[in-house]
Amino acid sequence: GSASGADWTNALPSFPASLTRNDIYYVADGSYGAQTFDDAEDGSKMITIKKATEADHGVETGWQRDYGDGQATFGSLTFQNGYYMFNGNNVSGYGFAVAIPPSGTGIFVQGYSSVDFVTLKSVSVNGAAAAAEARSITIKDGSHILLSNVEAKSTENDGISMSNVTDSVIEYFYVHSRRTGSGIHGDAIEIWGGGNNTVRFSRFAWNGQQIFWGGDRVHGRWDIYGNVFYDAPSAGKGLHPQSGNPIVGPIYVYNNTFNNLNIAMDLGSNTTGKVMNNIFY
């Protein structure tokens, strides 16, 4: 068609150079390469990017069912400004997939100043082809970041690296299948400063440090509940602040299960908070 984006008969072949605030962009099955999202903010107006499905695909004109029965795959994604919703639109699976290239990060949330109000939902990040130092997701200097139903797998380095992130939530996160090889220090979630954050209802099958607070930093409040930390018998530490350096807390750790780990929790003398109603097996 005309590639105007008005309907499915005239669909855009790729994202335009500039996206429009308050618009929704529906993405059909297919491969779309790397993308950088740097559209100027306009107050709290969102840009929403959704995987098109049979149940949710915008206008009907030109729609075909097989546009929405698989995944839309991307290379590296970079969010340099805030107020984006990137939604794979699949409750039980991952409508969007990111394949980390041989060098680089899967998803990078960082701008020239704080990047706020970015949501990632129903996204799988696969590091099977990535270099040893690659991370699945890196977030720097942001607030109100939501990761919901996100999978990070097959990296040697971190599943998520967070630096100075506040007022954010990680939920229904599944991190697994850590690669081993060159000795890269990889954590399921690595934290460098920030606070008032929540990790809930997630699964950590990661044979390494699973939640790690690092550096000579002051870390604020963390709420960690409803998670399962498991299947890491040789190198797994469920919760671990770096020895002797960071000030962490308060952290509230409750209603979690710690199963088949080398160490369930290794909390330093500079950690405050409360641990209650957990199962250690």
Side-chain angles (χ1 to χ4, degrees):
S2 68
S4 68
D7 52 45
W8 291 101
T9 299
N10 300 288
L12 294 161
S14 60
F15 286 110
S18 297
L19 305 185
T20 302
R21 292 283 165 184
N22 276 350
D23 277 6
I24 299 174
Y25 294 83
Y26 284 98
V27 183
D29 301 352
S31 179
Y32 295 91
Q35 303 288 336
T36 296
F37 300 104
D38 57 359
D39 305 282
E41 295 179 12
D42 184 4
S44 60
K45 293 179 181 177
M46 298 289 293
I47 292 173
T48 300
I49 300 161
K50 272 188 173 184
K51 175 64 179 64
T53 66
E54 178 64 17
D56 183 9
H57 53 259
V59 297
E60 289 294 330
T61 303
W63 171 256
Q64 298 180 32
R65 181 184 294 269
D66 60 2
Y67 292 168
D69 59 1
Q71 285 184 321
T73 63
F74 299 86
S76 294
L77 301 177
T78 302
F79 294 86
Q80 291 185 341
N81 280 324
Y83 295 92
Y84 286 94
M85 165 82 74
F86 189 78
N87 184 359
N89 211 10
N90 189 324
V91 174
S92 60
Y94 308 103
F96 286 149
V98 174
I100 305 177
S103 62
T105 291
I107 300 176
F108 200 30
V109 182
Q110 183 187 20
Y112 300 108
S113 59
S114 179
V115 178
D116 307 321
F117 294 95
V118 172
T119 295
L120 305 174
K121 300 182 78 171
S122 183
V123 182
S124 174
V125 185
N126 187 344
E133 66 272 14
R135 294 179 168 94
S136 292
I137 301 169
T138 296
I139 308 169
K140 293 186 176 181
D141 302 319
S143 70
H144 299 92
I145 309 298
L146 171 62
L147 273 60
S148 183
N149 189 28
V150 171
E151 176 189 48
K153 64 181 180 180
S154 302
T155 57
E156 189 169 339
N157 208 342
D158 308 313
I160 301 175
S161 178
M162 307 173 66
S163 177
N164 300 320
V165 177
T166 62
D167 301 300
S168 296
V169 175
I170 298 169
E171 63 180 14
Y172 305 104
F173 176 54
Y174 181 30
V175 56
H176 62 98
S177 304
R178 182 189 173 201
R179 288 164 37 201
T180 58
S182 63
I184 293 290
H185 173 87
D187 307 311
I189 301 178
E190 176 188 73
I191 302 160
W192 300 92
N196 198 30
N197 298 312
T198 297
V199 180
R200 63 188 180 192
F201 314 136
S202 297
R203 293 180 290 159
F204 295 80
W206 187 262
N207 197 21
Q209 296 176 140
Q210 297 186 339
I211 299 182
F212 172 75
W213 292 266
D216 189 12
R217 308 290 180 93
V218 176
H219 302 264
R221 174 171 176 153
W222 282 78
D223 290 85
I224 300 169
Y225 61 89
N227 305 288
V228 182
F229 302 86
Y230 66 108
D231 280 357
S234 62
K237 290 184 178 181
L239 307 180
H240 177 54
Q242 185 174 345
S243 301
N245 289 323
I247 299 172
V248 182
I251 61 172
Y252 295 96
V253 184
Y254 53 96
N255 297 352
N256 302 282
T257 297
F258 298 84
N259 176 52
N260 193 28
L261 302 175
N262 179 261
I263 298 173
M265 293 189 296
D266 184 5
L267 303 180
S269 59
N270 293 329
T271 304
T272 62
K274 182 177 286 188
V275 177
M276 59 186 292
N277 295 346
N278 301 282
I279 294 173
F280 301 90
Y281 183 77

